Amino acid sequence: MAGPSLMDSLFQRSLDDIIKGVRLCPPGTEPTFIAKSLDEIRREVKSTDRQTKAIALQKLTYLHCLHGVDMSWAAFHCVELSSSSAHSHKRIAYLAASLSFNPSTTDVILLLTHQLRKDLSSSSVHDVSLALSTLSSICNPDLSRDLTPELFTLLSSGKPFVRKKAIAAILRVFEQYPDAVRVCFKRVVENLESTDVGILSVVVGLFCELAVKEPRSYLPLAPEFYKILVDCRNNWILIKVLKIFAKLAPLEPRLGKRVVEPICEHMGRTGAKSLAFECMMTIVSSLSEYESAVKLAVGKVREFLLDDDPNLKYLGLQALTIVAQKHMWAVLENKELVVKALSDVDVNIKLEALRLVMSMVSEDNVMEICRILISHAQKSDPEFCNEILGYILFTCSRNFYEVICDFDWYVAFLGEVARIPHCQKGKEIETQLIDIGMRVKDARLELVDVARSLVIDPALLGNAFVHGVLAAAAWISGEYVALSRNPFELMEALLQPRTGLLTPSVRSVYIQSAFKVLIFCIWSYGKLNGDDASEPSALTESVSKCDLEGTSETVVCESLSDTEVDNENMIIAGGQTSSASSRKYRLTKESIMGLVNLVEANLGPLAGSDEVEIQERVSNVLGFIELMKPKLHGPLGDGEGDEMKGKLEASEMVKLMFDVFSEELGPVSLSAQEKVPLPDGLVLKENLSDLEAICGDVKFPSSTSFSLIQPRILEKDTSSFPECNEESGPSTESTSLLAEHRKRHGLYYLPSENKGTTFNDFPPAHEPQDKTIDEAEDLVKLTEESLTSKKKQNHIKPRPVVVKLDDGEGLNMAVEKSKVKTDLISGAVREVLLGNEPMTSSSRSKSSNKSSKRREVDRIPESGNDIVNTAISEGSIAGSGRRKHQTHSKERKHLSSGKEKEQHDHNDKQKRDSRHHKHKSRQRAEGGINVPVQSPVIPDFLL
């Protein structure tokens, strides 16, 4: 493409024209305008006229920043324009380079080295400032290595503006080239004694950033920081120094004794909220063992909480959360303000107050705090309601439910949380219900009762947020069906028509649980109605403990006179009262056949489902029924010979399935899958690329829901349904809904003995509150009772056993297994401050030790007489060491003295010649820098 003509240069559009053109573009034409502008820029940037090139780069930089236009192709033009003598052109070039150059991928970045070195040595303050800003943005290891000598010089510049820029830029150089620490760090430390507030602010900010990674390396500088803390009156400098001491104080206990007094003085004297907050945070986080300082900080926290500014109130709650970890009395003193913050209009303040309340949870007050917070959540907006629920669930489940002693209460509490209208924590509740079932064996009875109340409630099926909870309830009902009060009731709930509202994954869990219930009922009848019914059997606890009075032909579990069902003990004999309504059910041939027909009627239409999970589980259930149904008619009746053989085969099949489902499941470690070795020859991704070609023509229906068609059932089958009685009770919302389903879909339910009665012991979807709770008063009263130092109350019953795995379960899997790489910057800082500076491999070697010392004065002429004298003194020390080593031979001693004299003359000649050579910058790049370091004299300030 040819360069721009003279007319193009004369009528070149400016940046203002580009901006106006973009704004005036009709909708949809902006990409066309930008593409046209880019074509113009590509022609203009090739111009030999510096002004035309500068305007083109300026327009390209604007389009790159605001419209994301790629400008990597113009990298060389940026380098070319940076050599212009005009400051305005240089500013445009450096800005474009800072915004578009990638230190790791831009190839032409090394071409900028010479120009940056030239501008860093310029007499113009503005040119030096531009070069420093650009270097901090685009520096890479090569640039940092080559330009370290110039930065070393600028760190002691007599112009404060330049020195501030150099100190700010040195941090990026340290990160890219850690060897620069050995050269420049002492100069940086010297600036801590500067009287210029700007320079002091920049250098303290630099150390504040460095101390974040490895603060121990900067402990020798504590005297300098202490002096700044005592003498300085600039708030921003003091804030940075306080941040440094917050990192250093935990590392050296003696340091805290010296700094706590000036920090308290600053906190009591200052009127700046920012400085007061930083003093407060330093005390509560790093100096919490000093009681008087903590009391002063808590008083300042109270001032923040009483302030009308929401920002200060939020910061006060943050500080109180930190101090509450070791001093709960601070929360007790401010309990009214914390509780009041729960009702604040600011969401962030409410969340911080909620975190503070949850930090007070213990074994003694967890039930009361959860009760009050749940009441508060029901009156809050949906977003904050779910925040409350999330914090409650997280706190209660932390460290294997360490704050939970009464798991019966907690399981019932999870069931109540699932019924809250705005609850969106179904996944967390689902996980905890299943986890408690597998870990806490003593809680399974109450867990089954809570799962039953969830499964039989049809009002919950339409709430998509609790589908996960319903899946967990269905799984529990099937897995622990032996603890159920009435398996027939569970089967009705698992197969009710409204389950079509569930997602396919949840519905597949329902079907599998129904399969488990069916297996349990058939196995129970076969076990109790067989020849060995009079003998104690291995039947599950709920049935084996029943007082089976009467004949063995009909097995009846009564709940009226002799046996009654209770929440704690499955069967209570002797006419004791029951805490829950009970019902009687009969295990007879007719009841089992009715149960089988019920399963067939509800699952038959799902056999052709497009969902693989549903189809597979339905096929399993129906296949089992097909195998068992002929034998249920024969073996369960009267007969001999072949019928006895069929009876044995049927019982063996049922026992096999029962054994499969009765195997107890335990918790699985998070790292269990990683321990399974991959089989040899297994290629997991083999042939998966051809899957799209194979299934490309298959079209699935858009809807996966099914409207169940009622199949015809013979009259003789419906007449054989069992009779069930249930006690009368108050009608509720869920009862009426289920009763309506019975009227519409009567064939899908087991009929009762009395046709006029309906099941009435289903719990409501949302139980009404008995009384209005005043959250503020309750929380204040609760904090007074639970936060005061007292002995733990003795619980009525001991805490049940919670199963834990022994393979490190609960550890954070995100923690890296490999050790963290040692910070190179901190290592170099320690070597400089402790005077144990080894030779860097990147810039020196043993063979070039003498030459590097010989070039020392040549490389840094402005470094001062102290560095030169240090280098000479080190050379003399090295010489004296050699002479001491060679004292056994006088001839060798004179020879070595002659060599040293010759070497000294050679050094002087090298020094004179270096002033007239232009290639010394090349020597700096190749040889690196070797600044000898004196052993630091660090006063024992801490002692």
Side-chain angles (χ1 to χ4, degrees), residues 717-736:
D717 292 332
T718 47
S719 63
S720 63
F721 282 175
E723 298 178 353
C724 296
N725 286 336
E726 58 181 10
E727 300 174 0
S728 59
S731 178
T732 57
E733 178 184 357
S734 60
T735 305
S736 60

Side-chain angles (χ1 to χ4, degrees), residues 882-883 886 889-903:
R882 286 195 301 270
R883 287 192 299 271
Q886 298 170 354
S889 175
K890 188 177 292 186
E891 292 82 10
R892 291 182 130 190
K893 180 176 179 180
H894 290 294
L895 182 61
S896 62
S897 300
K899 288 184 178 180
E900 287 175 3
K901 183 176 181 181
E902 183 181 354
Q903 182 70 23

Side-chain angles (χ1 to χ4, degrees), residues 880-933:
S880 64
R882 286 195 301 270
R883 287 192 299 271
K884 185 176 180 180
H885 182 68
Q886 298 170 354
T887 52
H888 61 281
S889 175
K890 188 177 292 186
E891 292 82 10
R892 291 182 130 190
K893 180 176 179 180
H894 290 294
L895 182 61
S896 62
S897 300
K899 288 184 178 180
E900 287 175 3
K901 183 176 181 181
E902 183 181 354
Q903 182 70 23
H904 186 269
D905 296 338
H906 182 71
N907 287 344
D908 293 339
K909 182 179 180 180
Q910 182 75 9
K911 180 178 179 181
R912 291 192 300 270
D913 294 341
S914 63
R915 296 174 183 174
H916 306 286
H917 290 291
K918 300 285 186 174
H919 62 278
K920 64 179 180 179
S921 60
R922 179 62 179 174
Q923 294 177 352
R924 284 199 300 265
E926 293 178 353
I929 302 171
N930 180 16
V931 179
V933 181

Side-chain angles (χ1 to χ4, degrees), residues 430-451:
E430 172 192 5
T431 302
Q432 292 191 23
L433 286 174
I434 296 176
D435 192 51
I436 292 174
M438 292 188 294
R439 293 184 185 275
V440 189
K441 188 175 182 179
D442 295 343
R444 290 176 184 173
L445 193 60
E446 179 66 22
L447 193 64
V448 169
D449 190 62
V450 171

Side-chain angles (χ1 to χ4, degrees), residues 316-337:
L317 289 171
Q318 262 193 337
L320 198 59
T321 303
I322 296 175
V323 75
Q325 298 175 4
K326 296 183 179 179
H327 304 278
M328 288 300 295
W329 57 265
V331 183
L332 183 61
E333 289 184 356
N334 300 279
K335 55 185 180 297
E336 299 91 350
L337 300 176

Side-chain angles (χ1 to χ4, degrees), residues 117-285:
R117 180 180 291 114
K118 182 179 178 181
D119 290 332
L120 288 174
S121 305
S122 174
S123 59
S124 173
V125 175
H126 302 293
D127 289 349
V128 175
S129 174
L130 283 178
L132 288 171
S133 300
T134 306
L135 177 62
S136 63
S137 299
I138 66 172
C139 70
N140 55 19
D142 294 331
L143 270 181
S144 302
R145 182 193 65 236
D146 296 339
L147 299 178
T148 296
E150 282 70 25
L151 285 175
F152 180 84
T153 303
L154 294 177
L155 288 175
S156 58
S157 173
K159 301 174 182 178
F161 178 75
V162 174
R163 197 190 302 186
K164 286 190 297 184
K165 283 271 191 177
I167 295 172
I170 201 68
L171 177 61
R172 288 278 295 169
V173 175
F174 284 171
E175 292 174 353
Q176 296 294 326
Y177 183 60
D179 284 351
V181 175
R182 297 177 172 88
V183 179
C184 303
F185 190 76
K186 288 240 172 161
R187 280 284 175 91
V188 175
V189 174
E190 290 172 1
N191 285 282
L192 286 173
E193 301 177 357
S194 175
T195 57
D196 187 274
V197 177
I199 295 175
L200 187 61
S201 176
V202 174
V203 72
V204 170
L206 171 65
F207 280 110
C208 184
E209 293 294 328
L210 290 173
V212 171
K213 295 182 179 179
E214 180 54 47
R216 187 176 297 275
S217 302
Y218 305 94
L219 270 175
L221 298 177
E224 284 78 6
F225 295 139
Y226 179 80
K227 184 180 179 182
I228 296 173
L229 179 66
V230 174
D231 298 338
C232 185
R233 291 295 177 266
N234 184 279
N235 290 340
W236 295 113
I237 296 178
L238 289 175
I239 288 174
K240 295 293 184 182
V241 171
L242 287 171
K243 288 182 181 294
I244 295 174
F245 277 121
K247 299 290 185 181
L248 299 182
L251 303 177
E252 177 52 65
R254 294 173 293 178
L255 182 60
K257 298 178 182 179
R258 298 298 301 270
V259 300
V260 65
E261 184 177 352
I263 291 176
C264 292
E265 291 179 0
H266 282 301
M267 185 169 56
R269 182 179 63 247
T270 184
K273 299 296 183 181
S274 57
L275 179 58
F277 174 74
E278 200 60 47
C279 293
M280 194 168 58
M281 292 297 291
T282 303
I283 291 175
V284 300
S285 62

